[in-house]
């Protein structure tokens, strides 16, 4: 539908005239637009987003999460002599000081961010340097927020990386076996059951306080990193809708899960699915170099395990969805969720075989 962007943008503390506002980027969750504003004869760009309130039910708490984290980030960046408008996702507040508006005419929630200039986001890793820069980005993101009290964040997606609960959900799907599919994937089911002990390790460390609870991004893909258009170096981390409290091992592990496998996530030929120890070292080097002294001993001890855990959790979720009738993850062909879980389990087998080497690499940096 068409939105009255002049009215929407006019609700925010922007001193200028809106020239145009058009769809922008490749995001699938929120509707994103690029607004061009004439501010005293100079064109200034902003990102306008209509928030997906069907997915994010409590917009107020979602936006408070983003407000808390971005303001903390901006202050840390100022303290180290950086440019917060460029190096952090930055909200533009409304004229009344709120981080978003509700537009009654469209029934939509809108927010505006400062546009990060002279920077690009890649959809796929085109060369190892991209993967390295994403590691630096998320390592620095974790370092900036190391002293932030993550317990004040609203849990946008409850129990998102509570692997112990994910296992119970899997057991429920298996026991129900609504469509009688369990007989087709007995090997995969046994794979999950055999590794049940993986589930509670990080959860228990967090619960006991032995591992610190920190801010997690929870969507550590390359396309959520802005790279300098000229130098190719990391500029800023974007898309903070899923920030929550958790372990840095989750973000690290999920990056490894999808970044160290050259094959597609649903590749039917498992011969093409391989864990790259070289790419693992590339990521570890960038991540730990940027994270610096803020990483604790128990976090470092569990980084390599985090890669296995996040791969296990993801594969288990694909398998459970297959048992449930392919109702959560979008599929385009029969058996796609089975192929997805098999790629994850192949990666786990590879990682288990070279786990000692993975730990050596982590300890090297």
């Amino acid at each position: 539908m068409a939105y009255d962007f002049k009215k929407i943008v006019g609700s925010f503390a922007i001193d200028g005239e809106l020239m145009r506002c058009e769809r922008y980027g490749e995001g699938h969750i929120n509707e994103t637009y690029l607004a061009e504003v004439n501010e005293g004869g100079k064109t200034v760009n902003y990102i306008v987003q209509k928030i997906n309130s069907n997915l994010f039910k409590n917009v107020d708490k979602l936006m408070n999460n983003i407000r808390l984290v971005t303001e903390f980030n901006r202050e840390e960046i100022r303290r180290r002599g950086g440019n917060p408008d460029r190096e952090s996702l930055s909200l533009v507040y409304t004229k009344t000081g709120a981080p978003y508006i509700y537009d009654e005419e469209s029934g939509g929630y809108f927010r505006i961010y400062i546009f990060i200039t002279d920077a690009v986001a890649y959809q796929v890793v085109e060369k190892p340097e991209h993967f390295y820069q994403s590691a630096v980005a998320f390592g620095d993101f974790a370092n900036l927020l190391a002293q932030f009290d993550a317990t004040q964040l609203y849990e946008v997606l409850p129990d998102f990386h509570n692997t112990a609960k994910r296992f119970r959900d899997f057991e429920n799907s298996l026991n129900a076996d609504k469509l009688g599919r369990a007989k087709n994937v007995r090997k995969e089911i046994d794979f999950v059951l055999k590794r049940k002990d993986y589930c509670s390790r990080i959860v228990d460390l967090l619960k006991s306080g032995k591992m610190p609870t920190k801010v997690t991004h929870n969507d550590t893909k390359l396309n959520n990193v802005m790279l300098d258009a000229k130098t190719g170096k990391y500029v800023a981390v974007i898309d903070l809708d899923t920030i929550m409290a958790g372990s840095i091992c989750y973000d690290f592990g999920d990056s490894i899960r999808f970044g160290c496998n050259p094959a597609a996530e649903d590749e039917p030929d498992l011969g093409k699915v391989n864990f790259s120890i070289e790419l693992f070292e590339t990521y570890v080097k960038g991540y730990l170099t940027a994270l610096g002294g803020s990483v604790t001993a128990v976090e470092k001890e569990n980084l390599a395990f985090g890669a296995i855990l996040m791969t296990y959790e993801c594969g288990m979720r694909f398998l459970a969805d297959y048992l449930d009738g392919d109702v959560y993850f979008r599929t385009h062909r029969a058996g796609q969720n089975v192929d997805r879980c098999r790629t994850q389990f192949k990666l786990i087998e590879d990682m288990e075989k070279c786990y000692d080497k993975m730990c050596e690499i982590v300890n090297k940096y």
Side-chain angles (χ1 to χ4, degrees):
M1 69 178 290
Y3 305 117
D4 186 349
F5 282 117
K6 278 196 179 292
K7 184 182 76 171
I8 290 166
V9 172
S11 300
F12 289 80
I14 294 174
D15 186 17
E17 180 187 359
L18 179 68
M19 306 302 290
R20 61 178 58 84
C21 193
E22 298 175 349
R23 283 301 290 261
Y24 183 78
E26 299 184 42
H28 300 297
I29 304 298
N30 303 300
E31 291 180 31
T32 302
Y33 299 83
L34 178 65
E36 295 181 10
V37 178
N38 181 347
E39 297 186 4
K42 179 183 176 183
T43 299
V44 179
N45 293 337
Y46 295 91
I47 291 293
V48 178
Q49 283 188 323
K50 180 179 181 287
I51 301 166
N52 185 341
S53 56
N54 291 320
L55 177 62
F56 303 115
K57 303 292 186 184
N58 195 322
V59 174
D60 197 61
K61 289 185 177 179
L62 168 80
M63 292 306 299
N64 190 53
N65 279 1
I66 294 173
R67 179 187 65 80
L68 289 170
V69 166
T70 54
E71 289 302 322
F72 188 93
N73 261 3
R74 287 176 61 83
E75 188 56 39
E76 290 297 304
I77 290 166
R78 282 192 199 95
R79 188 173 289 122
R80 70 183 187 187
N83 177 359
D85 286 354
R86 181 165 163 77
E87 298 171 38
S88 172
L89 195 63
S90 301
L91 287 164
V92 177
Y93 290 90
T94 69
K95 289 175 179 176
T96 59
Y100 70 96
I101 66 158
Y102 176 71
D103 178 48
E104 290 188 5
E105 185 178 329
S106 64
Y109 297 86
F110 290 84
R111 65 188 173 202
I112 296 183
Y113 291 115
I114 293 174
F115 184 79
I116 298 173
T117 58
D118 303 314
V120 295
Y122 291 93
Q123 295 303 310
V124 295
V125 176
E126 296 178 1
K127 52 187 177 181
E129 178 65 14
H130 288 167
F131 195 44
Y132 177 79
Q133 288 300 325
S134 74
V136 173
F138 288 112
D140 190 47
F141 181 78
N143 185 48
L144 280 169
L145 291 161
Q147 301 304 315
F148 179 87
D149 178 10
T151 62
Q152 63 188 308
L153 295 178
Y154 163 66
E155 195 172 19
V156 179
L157 303 170
D159 293 312
F160 189 57
H161 284 315
N162 184 340
T163 319
K165 184 181 183 302
R166 294 289 191 188
F167 185 85
R168 293 193 295 272
D169 293 342
F170 169 78
E171 285 186 311
N172 291 337
S173 297
L174 176 58
N175 292 333
D177 194 17
K178 297 175 184 176
L179 302 177
R181 290 179 166 185
K183 63 183 181 295
N184 305 329
V185 286
R186 181 51 56 188
K187 181 182 176 183
E188 289 74 19
I189 290 168
D190 290 344
F191 186 96
V192 172
L193 297 177
K194 183 181 176 183
R195 291 162 175 79
K196 178 182 178 180
D197 289 348
Y198 285 171
C199 296
S200 59
R201 180 164 157 179
I202 301 293
V203 172
D204 287 349
L205 285 169
L206 289 169
K207 195 176 295 183
S208 69
K210 293 177 182 177
M211 179 179 286
T213 297
K214 293 183 178 177
V215 177
T216 53
H217 184 280
N218 297 304
D219 194 11
T220 52
K221 297 193 294 290
L222 178 65
N223 62 4
N224 285 328
V225 175
M226 301 300 295
L227 302 179
D228 188 278
K230 292 180 180 177
T231 67
K233 303 297 184 186
Y234 142 69
V235 175
V237 168
I238 60 172
D239 191 355
L240 304 183
D241 285 333
T242 54
I243 49 172
M244 290 180 282
S247 167
I248 65 168
C249 297
Y250 296 155
D251 277 355
F252 175 86
D254 207 34
S255 295
I256 298 304
R257 179 188 72 80
F258 63 74
C260 291
N261 169 29
E265 193 171 59
D266 60 352
E267 174 57 59
D269 182 359
L270 294 181
K272 297 179 180 178
V273 179
N274 298 286
F275 174 70
S276 169
I277 195 72
E278 293 79 17
L279 284 174
F280 177 78
E281 180 157 11
T282 295
Y283 197 91
V284 169
K285 180 181 179 182
Y287 187 80
L288 286 180
T289 300
L291 191 53
S294 68
V295 64
T296 67
V298 70
E299 288 172 329
K300 198 167 183 179
E301 287 167 12
N302 284 279
L303 284 179
F305 173 73
I308 293 177
L309 182 69
M310 290 295 93
T311 310
Y312 173 76
E313 180 184 286
C314 189
M316 178 167 58
R317 292 179 65 197
F318 287 143
L319 184 56
D321 195 38
Y322 170 75
L323 295 172
D324 290 340
D326 304 311
V327 294
Y328 184 83
F329 296 105
R330 187 177 300 173
T331 58
H332 305 289
R333 56 178 173 80
Q336 190 172 12
N337 269 328
V338 177
D339 287 336
R340 286 167 173 161
C341 86
R342 286 172 177 164
T343 64
Q344 303 308 295
F345 297 163
K346 171 60 166 59
L347 287 174
I348 291 171
E349 289 176 337
D350 286 358
M351 285 190 273
E352 288 172 339
K353 288 173 186 174
C354 62
Y355 184 67
D356 288 345
K357 179 64 175 176
M358 291 169 69
C359 292
E360 283 178 23
I361 290 170
V362 170
N363 290 330
K364 179 178 172 183
Y365 297 96

